[in-house]
Structure formats: C-alpha cells, structure tokens
Amino acid sequence: MGTRASELLRVVHENPDITRADAARRVGIGTGAATELVARLTAAELISERPAGPAGRGRPTTVLQPHPRGPLVLGVAFAHETWRAEVVQLGGEVVASDGDEQMAGAYGEGERILLEVKARLTRLRRRFRGRIRGMGVSVPGLVAMDRLVEASTLGWSGLDMGILWPNAPVVALGNDATFAASAESCRGAAVGAAVALHVRVDAGLGGALVESGRVLTGAVGLGGEFGHMPFAPDDVHCPCGARGCWGASLDGGALARLLGEPAPTEPVAYARRVVARAARAGAGSPEHDAVTAVAARLGRGIAGLVNAVDPDLVTVGGLGVDYLAAASRALDDAYLAGLMAFRRKDPPPVLAAELLEGGPVAGAAEEAWARLWPLLPT
Ligand SMILES: [Zn+2]
C-alpha cells in the first residue's frame, strides 16, 4: 500500500471521527489528493464517509469513519487467572468480546488452555466472515522474537501461541505490561508524555518505559521486567529463580505472608479480596496494615525507577490501581521518601492507568493494527 494511504488510515485510526479536511492536513496533502485517496480507500472498503454534522457555514466536509465491511483485528490477553478477547475496528472501538472468565487449573496446562481459547476465537472469526485480519496476543510472561519464552507464574514455557490462529496473516505477541504501557500512551493517562513509566502489578510486576509514544522493549524484547529488581530483602523468593525481587514483595503471595495465610493459588483474585477485607475492617486491622505495607513497597520501588529513568509521569496498572485507591497515602509517602530530595518539590505524578484491566488487550490490538497497515490492499 502507498505510504500516504497507510498514513491516512493511521490518522483515521488515531483520531476517530476526524474530518477529511483535518486528515488531509495531518497527512500533508491537498484537497484534491485527499478526495482521490479517500475515494480509493472507500472503494477498497477500508473507510467510509459521512457528512460532518448539521450544515453550517463554510465549505462542507465529511467525517472519516471505519467502513461497515472494513478490516478488524483481534486482541487477546491472557492474565494469570483470566483471558479476554476483543474484536476492534479502525479507530479503536470494540465491536465484540469474549472471555473474561477464570482459567481453571491453568498452571502448567498452557496447551490445553490455548486449544480451548482457540475454539472460542475461531467462533469470533467466523462471526465476522473473514473481516478479522490480524491478531495481537498479550501474555503475562517473557516474550522474545515473537515467542513466549516463559510465563513462570503460569508454568507455561516455550509455547507456540500461533496455534490460537494457524496461518493468521498477522500475529503480534507481546508481554502484558509492555502492551499495557503502549496502550496507556496511545489512548490512556500517558497520552502526550515525553517519557512515561508504566508499572503493572498482576501475579508478577512488569512495565515499560515509553518515549514519545515508542515503547522501549530492549534488544530482544525482554526489557521492562522491573519486578525482578532486587528492591526486596533476600528472604523473598521469586518464581523467576532470583531472591529479593521487588514484584514478589508486593503481590498476592506477599499479602498472604504478611497475614500468615497459606500461599494463594489465585494470587490476583486473593489480593483483591484482601483489599476489600481491609476496606471493611478499617485502620488498625491486620488486612489494612498488610495492604498499607505492600502499597508502600510499590511507592518506594517507583521512586527508585523515577530516580533512575526520569519520566514526566508514572502510571500504575493491574493491582497497582487497587493499592493506589486503598492506600494512596502510604504509597505517596514511600514514593516521596524514596525520591532524591531535588525531585520532591515537583515529583512526577503517579496516576492510575485509565485503561485499567483493559490495557493489555487494547495494546495487543494496537500492535496488530501497527503491523497490518502496510499489508492492507488499496
Ligand atoms: Zn524475580
């Protein structure tokens, strides 16, 4: 596809309901060229036009929107205990979804889970009769060179995620925290940030640094494993094989240790239950103390990262949102105490991710779109 056609599609995708005149300006083409290009993309069933609002003064223009028979992508996100799929049209709107259910007994059962999810995805693809043109898959694990290297908290390793859709025209595989960071910078709380730091707490802790909208993933895609920095005492054992990992000091397992309860089999759901119990039991209760402690550990580690990488804002996702809501004071105090003194006057804000649990799946769909642009015929 021509660069301009590709560029126009991207502009329409990033600015839903943009007028033809504005889109032409962004692409840097004149009115005549825009008319011709839009006609071509409409004939190819990629976009369509409708009149821009009620007739007013000035020259009439049109609004560019997804074509009713246009291409779609599939975003799929595996979390540690649940999975979700979304069918997304140009512009980012979700037109169908599936999943949002517990993956019972998922530990070490990756192949079985993938086959079950594959059947559901096939049903979604049939429903849209060939319109779904690519797939992004988010996993809570290490991804390098488009392969799942390991998801240690799920006990999955070396899985070929391609079996979810054999021979898919486009498959983008990525780490959940990386995708969440990317989505937060595209459509969430970090839009427009020069350098945004995203920290996501799930059964593990990960994140990414995003510079001017571009996610820094490392040489082979394994960057952002912030949870495995040794910010915690040596007696914290992490499923990754290291000791003192920050992530393992503030997840559901850490809450259970603080409360003297057995290690939870579903640490994320367990952590949310503890946060709810803490809210009911109030200050002075063991639950409240435990939640306050993990929130402070989160804030302290974020301070270390802010000192190291100098972001203009920080977003927290996953359980981090729950910790921030339940114990913002403890998190803030630990954050400020951990910052170098010169930063405390004007610290980068620590915000809840706007996309909440939808970040990884939205990021997966965005990555599929990014890979699809050059492949769409016009
Ligand atoms: Zn670790």
Side-chain angles (χ1 to χ4, degrees), residues 227-229 237-248:
H228 303 287
M229 295 190 297
H237 292 255
C238 179
C240 79
R243 284 174 169 218
C245 286
W246 178 37

Side-chain angles (χ1 to χ4, degrees), residues 42-65:
T42 305
E45 299 191 336
L46 294 172
I47 60 173
S48 62
E49 291 181 280
R50 64 179 157 79
R57 285 168 299 151
R59 286 202 298 171
T61 182
T62 61
V63 166
L64 304 181
Q65 60 186 20

Side-chain angles (χ1 to χ4, degrees), residues 289-308:
D289 288 350
V291 171
T292 304
V294 295
R297 291 171 188 173
L298 180 61
R300 187 176 145 84
I302 289 172
L305 281 168
V306 167
N307 289 337

Side-chain angles (χ1 to χ4, degrees), residues 18-224:
I18 194 170
T19 63
R20 185 167 72 190
D22 283 342
R25 260 192 295 281
R26 298 226 186 177
V27 177
I29 54 177
T31 323
T35 306
E36 188 266 335
L37 190 55
V38 166
R40 242 172 68 210
L41 294 177
T42 305
E45 299 191 336
L46 294 172
I47 60 173
S48 62
E49 291 181 280
R50 64 179 157 79
R57 285 168 299 151
R59 286 202 298 171
T61 182
T62 61
V63 166
L64 304 181
Q65 60 186 20
H67 194 282
R69 291 186 296 278
L72 304 166
V73 302
L74 190 53
V76 185
F78 291 93
H80 287 91
E81 290 153 31
T82 56
W83 68 278
R84 177 174 174 79
E86 291 182 349
V87 179
V88 180
Q89 69 176 5
L90 196 78
E93 197 188 321
V94 176
V95 295
S97 67
D98 196 5
D100 269 341
E101 50 199 64
Q102 296 286 317
M103 301 187 293
Y107 189 86
E109 292 281 323
E111 275 170 38
R112 176 177 63 79
I113 299 283
L114 291 187
L115 287 173
E116 286 172 14
V117 173
K118 175 194 176 182
R120 304 276 288 272
L121 299 183
T122 305
R123 216 180 301 165
L124 266 181
R125 280 167 44 223
R126 289 203 180 120
R127 183 172 147 199
F128 288 95
R129 298 167 185 278
R131 286 177 60 200
I132 300 179
R133 311 285 276 274
M135 170 176 76
V137 183
S138 159
V139 287
L142 304 175
V143 173
M145 308 294 188
D146 278 344
R147 280 193 71 83
L148 172 62
V149 177
E150 186 176 46
S152 59
T153 54
L154 271 173
W156 297 5
S157 69
L159 286 182
D160 174 13
M161 306 300 284
I163 72 167
L164 290 169
W165 180 357
N167 306 314
V170 167
V171 179
L173 177 65
N175 171 267
D176 57 351
T178 309
F179 276 159
S182 162
E184 207 56 38
S185 285
C186 278
R187 301 190 188 273
V191 169
V195 176
L197 171 68
H198 182 71
V199 173
R200 176 178 165 78
V201 186
D202 197 50
L205 185 155
L209 200 59
V210 185
E211 188 171 15
S212 307
R214 198 173 77 89
V215 184
L216 304 180
T217 57
V220 295
L222 291 172

